[in-house]
Amino acid sequence: MTGKRLNRGVAVVGAGMSKFGAFPGLSTRDLFVQAFQDMRASVDKGFDPNDIEALYIGNYSSDLFEGQGHTAPFMADWTGLAPRPATRIEDACASSGVAIRQGIIAIASGLYDIVLVGGIEKMTDLPTSQVTDTLATASDMLYEIPAGFTFPGFYAAMATTYMHKFGATPETFMKVGMKNHTNGALNEKAQFGTTIRKVMDGKIAKAEARGYPVPTWEDELEFLHDDRANPVIAWPMRLFDCSPISDGAAALLLVSEELATQFSDTPLYIVGSGQASDVALHDRDDVTGLRAAQLAGKEAYGMAGVTPADIQVAEVHDCFTIAEVIATEDLSFFAPGEGYQAAESGGTARLGSKPINTSGGLKSKGHPVGASGIGQAVEIWKQLRGQAGERQVPGSPTLGLTHNVGGTGQTCVVHIYERR
Amino acid sequence: MADNDFSNTAFHQYLAEYKLMGAHCEACDTLYLPPRPMCPKCFGDDMNWVELPERGELIAFTTIHIAPTAMIEAGYGRDNPYISGVVRLENGLSISAQILGLDANKPEEIMIGTPVKAEYVERGEDEAKKTFLAFRAE
Ligand SMILES: [Zn+2]
C-alpha cells in the first residue's frame, strides 16, 4: 500500500521526560518543566528555546484530576514560551501521541519549523474510585458505563473473548507483566523500578520481619495467582495486569527535516504516522483486535515504506497486559492468535526477536495517561540513539515504532522513527 | 411514552416500559442499537423505532471487583463482584449490559456463547429511579 506523504519531512531532535510516579505537591506544570529541561539537555548541539514557534500539549483530564482546565497556555508560560500559540490535544490516553501527530502536521504544512510537543497528567491527587470514574469518561457514558463497565473491565472482556478464541490463559497475561517489570527495573524513570520477583521477595521479608505467617510462593507465577497478593480487578485482569495511577510529563522537540542536523548529531526522522478512530466496543464485529490500531499501523507503514518485520524495537500501549498482546497482532508483528505465544515464549522480551516495551511499558514505567504517548517516543529516542543504558536493545537498531491507544481503541495513533 | 428523538433519554424511557428499542433506517433498511438520529451508513435521517429481540448470547464478559461509584452505590464491590458483558442479540446487534444469573465469583465457569434474555433492572430511589438494561443467563 502506498500511503499519503507529508509535504516535508519532520525530525525529532530532543526528547525528555519527568520521572513517572506519584508526586504529591507537584502539579502538571511542575512536571512539565522537568520534562522540558530533560528534553533540552538531550539536544546534542543545544538550542535557544526562543526559537520554538508553537506548542501542542496532550492532556486527558486535568479538569477532573486536578481541577485545572485550559492547561496548554500554562505549559507555555512555565517554560517561558508565552505568547506562542499553545493548544491542548485530548484523545484520552492517546492525547500526546496525537499531539506528536499535530506537531508533525503543523511543520509539514510549512506554517512552523520548530515545534514543542508535550504530554502531561497528574492523577494521584484523587482517590482510586474517582480516578476510575474519571477514566471511565473516555468510554461511552450513555451506553457502556451504565452496564457497570470500568476500564480494566473493558480490557478484561477483550481478554475473555481472546482466551476463548485462541486458547490463551490468565498466565499468558501474567508473563507479559513479568516481562515489563523486568524491563522497567532497568529504567531509572520508571514508577516501579523493580521486578515481580523483588516485589514477591519483599513481601516475604516483610512478613518474616513482622512475625506474620510467611507466604510460601514457589515462584512469580504462584505469587501472581494469589488472590490476596494479586487481587482480581476485573477477571482475568489482576492488579499486576493493570498499569498504575501515575503523574508525569514528557516532551519532544520537532523540527523540519532540513533543520535537523543543526540541532542534533543523531536526529530521528519521523518516517510514518497513522491515526484512526472507532465505534464503541460493543458495536465492533471483533473485540480481539483494535481496528483503529490496525488502520493506524497500515497508514504509518505505508507512509514509511516499511513492513512490520523491519521494526526492530517498539513501545506499545500496554495499559493492561492483554492490550500488549492485542497490539502486537494489530501491528502485524504476529498473526492474530499468535501474539500470546510470542509473549509466552520470550519473543517480545528485550533480548527476543521483537523487543516490545523495553522501557517497562505503561505497566512498569507508569501511565500518566496524557503523557504516555510521548513517554513511548522518549524510549524509542534512547534505543535508536544507543542511549538506553542497561536496557539497550542489541544490534544498533535504526527503526522503531510507537503505538498509543485512547480508550478502548476508539483512538489509535502509530509513529515510526528512523535513525539514518 | 418516548419522544421520537432517538436519544438516550428516549431509549431509557422505553426501558422503563420494559421495552428494548432500536432505530431503523427506512432508507437503507439498517437497524441500530443504541438508537441514533442519523444513519451512519447512508447518512439519511428517516429513522423509526423498532422493538428488538430480547434473546441473544454472551460474546465478551468480565467480573468486576473494583467497581465504579454508581455500582458501589448499588451494593457491589470487592466482596460482591458483578458481571458486565457484551451481548449479541438474535438479529446480530450488540450491546453492553450487566449480566445476571451467573456466579461472579467463578469466572472460569462462565462460557462465551451463554444464551441470555433481557431483563429490566431498576436502580435509585424516587426521582433518581432509573431502569437499566441487563441480561439474565437462561
Ligand atoms: Zn441508512
Side-chain angles (χ1 to χ4, degrees):
Chain A
M1 185 178 102
T2 308
K4 289 197 172 180
R5 308 240 156 224
L6 299 173
N7 271 337
R8 62 172 178 165
V10 177
V12 184
V13 295
M17 59 186 278
S18 71
K19 189 172 166 34
F20 285 1
F23 305 111
L26 295 189
S27 70
T28 44
R29 65 186 86 171
D30 303 317
L31 294 163
F32 188 65
V33 166
Q34 292 181 19
F36 180 73
Q37 296 295 58
D38 191 47
M39 179 280 290
R40 276 180 73 194
S42 76
V43 180
D44 298 331
K45 299 179 180 177
F47 79 107
D48 182 351
N50 286 306
D51 291 338
I52 293 171
E53 295 168 284
L55 299 85
Y56 294 91
I57 305 294
N59 174 220
Y60 168 49
S61 193
S62 56
D63 316 63
L64 297 175
F65 283 133
E66 57 176 344
Q68 173 70 65
H70 202 190
T71 37
F74 291 99
M75 301 309 130
D77 182 4
W78 250 244
T79 52
L81 296 175
R84 291 162 185 78
T87 306
R88 171 172 162 183
I89 308 290
E90 194 272 296
D91 263 323
C93 311
S95 295
S96 61
V98 176
I100 296 173
R101 189 170 155 92
Q102 291 303 310
I104 293 168
I105 292 167
I107 291 172
S109 77
L111 185 62
Y112 304 124
D113 297 314
I114 304 169
V115 166
L116 179 67
V117 296
I120 52 171
E121 210 74 60
K122 168 74 191 180
M123 302 169 70
T124 66
D125 281 352
L126 293 184
T128 301
S129 61
Q130 284 180 45
V131 173
T132 302
D133 290 345
T134 299
L135 291 172
T137 67
S139 61
D140 188 337
M141 294 301 288
L142 299 181
Y143 292 101
E144 292 183 315
I145 295 307
F149 269 114
T150 58
F151 257 95
F154 288 120
Y155 280 90
M158 295 183 210
T160 58
T161 309
Y162 187 95
M163 292 192 297
H164 173 78
K165 193 168 167 187
F166 297 122
T169 68
E171 276 194 12
T172 307
F173 309 125
M174 291 172 185
K175 287 174 183 167
V176 172
M178 285 166 58
K179 185 263 291 176
N180 286 346
H181 273 269
T182 298
N183 289 344
L186 302 176
N187 184 351
E188 72 288 353
K189 294 286 179 69
Q191 185 162 359
F192 300 119
T194 185
T195 61
I196 300 279
R197 164 63 71 169
K198 281 194 177 153
V199 174
M200 177 181 127
D201 290 344
K203 285 188 187 259
I204 290 171
K206 207 168 174 182
E208 281 170 346
R210 292 186 178 175
Y212 295 156
V214 177
T216 55
W217 306 304
E218 284 285 326
D219 57 17
E220 291 100 317
L221 282 174
E222 203 173 305
F223 166 74
L224 292 173
H225 274 292
D226 184 327
D227 282 342
R228 290 185 63 185
N230 187 23
V232 175
I233 305 296
W235 191 85
M237 295 290 103
R238 293 170 179 266
L239 182 64
F240 280 93
D241 290 293
C242 304
S243 55
I245 294 165
S246 313
D247 307 330
L252 300 182
L253 187 64
L254 304 183
V255 303
S256 61
E257 192 170 72
E258 63 271 18
L259 295 181
T261 52
Q262 291 181 26
F263 290 83
S264 182
D265 299 326
T266 316
L268 297 189
Y269 296 90
I270 304 180
V271 291
S273 176
Q275 186 187 342
S277 69
D278 204 356
V279 298
L281 191 67
H282 56 222
D283 280 331
R284 300 179 199 166
D285 293 334
D286 176 28
V287 297
T288 59
L290 305 183
R291 183 177 63 174
Q294 294 157 8
L295 293 172
K298 278 203 180 83
E299 185 187 359
Y301 290 134
M303 188 185 287
V306 304
T307 69
D310 296 329
I311 303 296
Q312 294 158 299
V313 57
E315 289 284 304
V316 308
H317 197 93
D318 61 322
C319 49
F320 301 95
T321 50
I322 173 65
E324 176 171 313
V325 173
I326 286 176
T328 61
E329 297 178 5
D330 288 339
L331 293 165
S332 298
F333 295 154
F334 307 106
E338 292 178 9
Y340 86 89
Q341 293 162 3
E344 291 198 337
S345 66
T348 55
R350 187 176 63 86
L351 300 176
S353 58
K354 190 65 94 178
I356 301 292
N357 287 335
T358 53
S359 69
L362 313 184
K363 172 70 201 81
S364 166
K365 184 175 56 181
H367 187 22
V369 291
S372 287
I374 291 183
Q376 295 176 322
V378 172
E379 178 68 6
I380 297 300
W381 164 266
K382 288 183 185 292
Q383 289 288 353
L384 297 189
R385 285 165 45 100
Q387 295 173 325
E390 281 187 284
R391 65 181 190 283
Q392 179 66 45
V393 165
S396 190
T398 57
L399 204 61
L401 178 148
T402 56
H403 157 282
N404 188 198
V405 175
T408 57
Q410 285 197 275
T411 293
C412 292
V413 58
V414 171
H415 285 109
I416 299 173
Y417 302 83
E418 182 183 33
R419 172 171 60 82
R420 291 178 181 156
Chain B
M1 189 60 202
D3 295 322
N4 200 25
D5 60 6
F6 308 99
S7 65
N8 178 256
T9 306
F11 177 71
H12 272 279
Q13 284 168 351
Y14 278 124
L15 289 183
E17 298 168 20
Y18 292 6
K19 281 180 184 163
L20 176 58
M21 301 292 281
H24 178 251
C25 173
E26 299 299 316
C28 76
D29 191 27
T30 307
L31 273 171
Y32 293 99
L33 176 68
R36 44 175 78 217
M38 192 198 93
C39 174
K41 201 167 147 192
C42 74
F43 305 101
D45 56 8
D46 185 9
M47 311 298 277
N48 267 314
W49 287 105
V50 287
E51 202 159 347
L52 299 175
E54 293 188 318
R55 286 197 156 79
E57 61 169 344
L58 192 59
I59 61 164
F61 75 91
T62 180
T63 64
I64 294 186
H65 296 243
I66 300 298
T69 306
M71 295 303 277
I72 291 170
E73 284 167 3
Y76 295 101
R78 158 89 34 225
D79 299 324
N80 185 23
Y82 61 94
I83 305 167
S84 289
V86 177
V87 170
R88 183 150 291 159
L89 302 178
E90 282 173 344
N91 63 3
L93 295 180
S94 301
I95 191 73
S96 299
Q98 188 181 352
I99 308 299
L100 307 169
L102 296 167
D103 188 348
N105 283 305
K106 292 178 181 165
E108 299 88 348
E109 295 177 7
I110 299 174
M111 303 300 290
I112 302 283
T114 298
V116 294
K117 185 175 185 299
E119 191 163 306
Y120 304 89
V121 175
E122 281 165 4
R123 285 193 214 120
E125 302 287 327
D126 304 323
E127 297 290 287
K129 191 163 132 184
K130 200 169 172 183
T131 309
F132 291 86
L133 178 64
F135 286 85
R136 184 173 291 278
E138 292 199 291

